[in-house]
Amino acid sequence: MKNGLPLVAHLGDFSMLSFALKRLLVAIPTMFIIIAMAFFLMRLAPGSPFDSERAMSPEIRQLVMQHYGLDKPLFAQFFEYIKGLFVFDLGPSLIYKNQNVSDIIGNGFPVSITIGIFALSLAIFIGVPLGLIAALNQNKIQDYSVMAVAMAGICVPTFVTGPLLALFFGVKLGWLPTAGLDLGEMTFETLLLPVVTLSLPQIAIISRLVRSSTIEVLSSNFIRTARAKGLPDSVVLVKHALRASLLPLVSYLGPACAGLITGSVVIENVFQLPGIGRNFVTSALQRDYPVVMAVVILYASLIIILNLIADIIYGMLDPKVTYE
Amino acid sequence: MSMIATPKEKAQLLEKSAILGRSLWDDALARLMKNKAAVISMYVLGALVILALFGPLFWVNKYDEIFDDMVLVGPSLKNMFIFGGDPQGRDLFIRLLYGLRVSLAVGVVATFVSLTIGVLWGATAGYIGGKVDQIMMRIVDILYALPFIFFVIILMVVFGRNIILIFVAIGAVEWLTMARIVRGQTLSLRKKEFIEAAQAAGLSTYQIITRHIVPNLLGPVVVYVTLTIPAVILTESFLSFLGLGVQEPLTSLGNLISNGAREMEIAPWLLFFPAVTMMITLFCLNFIGDGLRDAIDPKDR
């Protein structure tokens, strides 16, 4: 028995590696399809990035289009773009002169990712205990109150909680700044409201998830066995139930990321944060093609990678999972 | 097809619906009616729907009517501005009814779009199986990886702010989960005897899917539909909040909330009433959805 274990673990590692590689291989066509869809959709849009500059004469316009390579056939442009991607060249911004897309993303991404990571941590830190409390006191007052809070978190969207929190803590009480965060100015005070607002729906979803999975696990056979052996409740919960009941949380990592990204678009608009969520909407409206593409590519790869990590962690935690 | 159905098949069908089918649904209905939150939600939602549909017919003001003396006036009985006036001097109450109408319509229509695509896609993949299943579900996986909100935003920008497009765009991205649920159910249904009987009776694949598979998927699908509607309403409001939803003078709940948030320091009622309406609507839909899930699939509880 003791001899067999390392071998099994080793085999597990090997199959996991090939699983990860396979998934990464599949991710390449996925990314390609995403890039192509975003590229051609964006170009189908009526209007051009130079519409706002009314004084532009046709000749100058032609020159500008030529400068950015926008006069070439669409497929040639697409090919150029893909070629650029291989050397991490995202092109220039068409609206902000003298700024590369990489600069814009580089400025905005730290803000967005900081808020996102803090919000997710806060959501797990609060959501998991809430879910456990509810599950352990099923159909009691604790359960009902947690579920009421969770329902509120799901039904009250961030674009309502955001302004309300800003109004109350920022304007009425004057405790916290409500807007205007420059780069390098990310302090506890400026981040608190955005992070809390962004995490509220996630707290709700996570606590519901943990509650239902814990209830299911607690009624399963191996928990009954553990109890029958005479183990105290706390040991049963911590050593046996917790791992199984937190498994769904791992596979929620990918969707959580998508939810946070969506939320961040609202949060950055409400609190006027210079993140890429806000950038994306303005860029799409101004037809700043390269910026839009870069944001889509960045977030798509983020979601793909997180999903992959989630699957790998899941496999490590759940012995029932085998990698094909 | 019913014309070709043998009397025996008919009898079987009748028997099934008479004994198994009805009692299952009766059971579910009884359980649902015991769920107080769900029942209250149904009444409240019903009232809201009636108000949104017929309220504008009887209300004194029009949704785009401008009263110069009612600009940013708080709730008052003057001109029947019971919920106050907006920055243009329009009646918030009637605008709220229209907003609710648009939001509910988007919720229902987009959910229907996602339902149609998702059920057909999932049932086909699950029933045919093999390579077809693999390819179809691989497509779903790929679409799952999309930062879909960005694609909806791009779609809105590309094709302009058009209400039909909102329906289609949201519906087109919401069908993925539905397809997965339906496929899973179908896989287990495929091996059942009544499908074998239908195959033996010589029904085509299309007939089996539409006549035998889809009706048996009803339970989980109904549950998921009721939970999709609030999600869709939320997505639409999100778009409207960013200024990408329906266009003025028409409005939606998200639009009103967005405008209210802008004026909340001087006219808090402009944020309060739309936000509360939205929350009540979402609460009701979610409670009904949860109630239905517990009623139809009691093992989840």
Side-chain angles (χ1 to χ4, degrees):
Chain A
M1 184 71 181
K2 278 234 159 112
N3 258 343
L5 225 95
L7 182 69
V8 172
H10 176 73
L11 273 177
D13 277 347
F14 180 70
S15 63
M16 193 172 75
L17 193 71
S18 71
F19 167 79
L21 280 176
K22 243 186 235 164
R23 283 284 299 269
L24 276 177
L25 277 181
V26 174
I28 293 170
T30 309
M31 274 312 289
F32 182 79
I33 293 171
I34 291 171
I35 293 170
M37 268 175 71
F39 185 89
F40 289 108
L41 260 181
M42 221 28 227
R43 294 310 166 89
L44 273 178
S48 91
F50 314 113
D51 277 352
S52 52
E53 291 153 77
R54 303 218 180 280
M56 208 182 262
S57 70
E59 292 81 14
I60 294 178
R61 193 190 174 86
Q62 183 60 32
L63 278 176
V64 173
M65 296 286 272
Q66 222 163 19
H67 173 73
Y68 288 115
L70 293 173
D71 56 335
K72 291 183 196 151
L74 208 49
F75 275 96
Q77 288 182 40
F78 182 61
F79 186 66
E80 287 285 309
Y81 187 77
I82 296 287
K83 238 171 53 185
L85 281 183
F86 276 108
V87 290
F88 298 103
D89 176 15
L90 294 166
S93 164
L94 302 179
I95 298 293
Y96 303 100
K97 305 276 158 8
N98 311 322
Q99 270 212 57
N100 271 334
V101 175
S102 329
D103 301 336
I104 295 178
I105 300 287
N107 288 334
F109 192 54
V111 178
S112 301
I113 196 83
T114 312
I115 296 170
I117 288 176
F118 277 131
L120 186 61
S121 317
L122 185 68
I124 292 174
F125 193 70
I126 296 178
V128 170
L130 279 184
L132 287 176
I133 291 171
L136 293 177
N137 301 288
Q138 200 188 349
N139 294 331
K140 288 191 204 140
I141 181 77
Q142 293 97 323
D143 184 18
Y144 291 131
S145 11
V146 168
M147 283 305 101
V149 171
M151 189 56 108
I154 287 172
C155 292
V156 188
T158 40
F159 48 81
V160 174
T161 41
L164 283 182
L165 287 177
L167 178 67
F168 191 68
F169 289 105
V171 181
K172 287 265 153 36
L173 295 176
W175 288 355
L176 295 163
T178 53
L181 166 70
D182 287 327
L183 205 66
E185 238 185 53
M186 289 196 279
T187 59
F188 179 74
E189 283 87 7
T190 47
L191 288 183
L192 186 61
L193 282 184
V195 167
V196 168
T197 314
L198 192 55
S199 70
L200 286 177
Q202 300 303 324
I203 291 175
I205 298 173
I206 288 176
S207 62
R208 280 169 73 119
L209 206 66
V210 170
R211 173 185 178 269
S212 70
S213 75
T214 308
I215 288 175
E216 202 186 313
V217 168
L218 284 180
S219 65
S220 62
N221 289 334
F222 74 95
I223 295 296
R224 203 181 310 139
T225 310
R227 284 215 168 109
K229 283 198 303 188
L231 294 178
D233 270 0
S234 57
V235 176
V236 171
L237 183 68
V238 175
K239 283 192 75 175
H240 296 265
L242 204 57
R243 190 158 113 170
S245 67
L246 291 187
L247 268 181
L249 195 60
V250 175
S251 36
Y252 178 64
L253 200 62
C257 171
L260 287 173
I261 289 170
T262 310
S264 74
V265 178
V266 170
I267 298 296
E268 286 166 16
N269 272 295
V270 169
F271 293 100
Q272 317 250 309
L273 303 176
I276 44 180
R278 190 162 65 130
N279 244 325
F280 179 81
V281 180
T282 33
S283 301
L285 285 172
Q286 292 173 325
R287 306 284 184 278
D288 200 345
Y289 308 128
V291 177
V292 173
M293 293 295 301
V295 176
V296 169
I297 293 171
L298 181 69
Y299 276 151
S301 26
L302 203 65
I303 293 176
I304 290 176
I305 290 170
L306 270 175
N307 272 323
L308 178 61
I309 294 175
D311 281 355
I312 291 174
I313 298 178
Y314 199 100
M316 289 185 339
L317 292 176
D318 187 351
K320 279 183 290 185
V321 171
T322 51
Y323 301 105
E324 292 161 39
Chain B
M1 187 55 215
S2 57
M3 305 216 0
I4 322 170
T6 61
K8 204 177 162 194
E9 219 185 312
K10 261 189 188 161
Q12 263 181 347
L13 272 173
L14 271 176
E15 197 179 47
K16 204 175 146 291
S17 60
I19 300 169
L20 244 176
R22 266 202 60 194
S23 71
L24 263 180
W25 285 100
D26 275 356
D27 259 12
L29 193 66
R31 270 196 293 271
L32 184 63
M33 286 303 157
K34 265 194 218 148
N35 186 332
K36 271 189 215 122
V39 172
I40 295 172
S41 297
M42 281 191 266
Y43 282 119
V44 175
L45 190 67
L48 278 177
V49 170
I50 290 171
L51 210 58
L53 282 181
F54 302 111
L57 297 178
F58 302 107
W59 196 244
V60 280
N61 304 318
K62 296 269 167 298
Y63 75 100
D64 52 357
E65 201 175 347
I66 291 171
F67 294 78
D68 287 330
D69 55 337
M70 296 307 284
V71 172
L72 290 177
V73 171
S76 79
L77 284 178
K78 190 179 162 208
N79 292 333
M80 288 302 284
F81 271 44
I82 50 171
F83 282 2
D86 72 359
Q88 282 83 45
R90 294 173 300 193
D91 180 4
L92 180 65
F93 178 71
I94 189 75
R95 292 190 64 70
L96 196 55
L97 290 187
Y98 269 90
L100 187 61
R101 219 186 227 194
V102 169
S103 288
L104 286 172
V106 171
V108 170
V109 177
T111 302
F112 186 75
V113 172
S114 81
L115 174 78
T116 314
I117 307 177
V119 168
L120 283 179
W121 193 276
T124 308
Y127 181 73
I128 297 176
K131 272 256 147 33
V132 177
D133 178 33
Q134 268 178 24
I135 293 171
M136 287 177 85
M137 293 327 279
R138 171 59 62 202
I139 293 174
V140 170
D141 287 345
I142 288 176
L143 293 176
Y144 245 112
L146 292 182
F148 97 82
I149 199 67
F150 290 126
F151 273 87
V152 176
I153 291 175
I154 292 179
L155 277 175
M156 298 315 297
V157 170
V158 171
F159 297 107
R161 304 196 279 151
N162 171 337
I163 194 163
I164 309 275
L165 184 76
I166 299 179
F167 296 155
V168 176
I170 299 178
V173 289
E174 288 282 341
W175 63 273
L176 300 169
T177 315
M178 181 73 83
R180 280 193 175 170
I181 294 173
V182 167
R183 173 182 170 268
Q185 285 302 112
T186 310
L187 280 179
S188 64
L189 279 177
R190 191 161 66 130
K191 299 275 184 277
K192 294 266 161 70
E193 287 86 353
F194 71 95
I195 299 294
E196 229 170 277
Q199 283 165 341
L203 266 67
S204 71
T205 305
Y206 174 76
Q207 283 169 324
I208 294 179
I209 289 176
T210 50
R211 254 159 229 264
H212 294 278
I213 301 275
V214 171
N216 280 291
L217 296 170
L218 218 54
V221 166
V222 164
V223 171
Y224 189 66
V225 161
T226 41
L227 292 172
T228 304
I229 295 175
V232 168
I233 292 181
L234 218 59
T235 307
E236 189 280 325
S237 311
F238 166 82
L239 289 174
S240 290
F241 183 82
L242 296 177
L244 296 167
V246 295
Q247 253 170 324
E248 287 277 312
L250 207 62
T251 191
S252 78
L253 289 182
N255 234 328
L256 291 169
I257 291 173
S258 156
N259 294 338
R262 227 169 282 145
E263 312 286 344
M264 66 183 176
E265 282 168 46
I266 40 169
W269 62 89
L270 287 178
L271 177 62
F272 177 78
F273 289 114
V276 168
T277 310
M278 170 124 196
M279 283 187 255
I280 293 176
T281 312
L282 292 178
F283 266 119
C284 289
L285 284 164
N286 276 309
F287 277 129
I288 295 172
D290 278 3
L292 267 175
R293 188 184 51 212
D294 295 342
I296 293 177
D297 186 12
K299 76 173 161 49
D300 253 20
R301 187 67 193 166

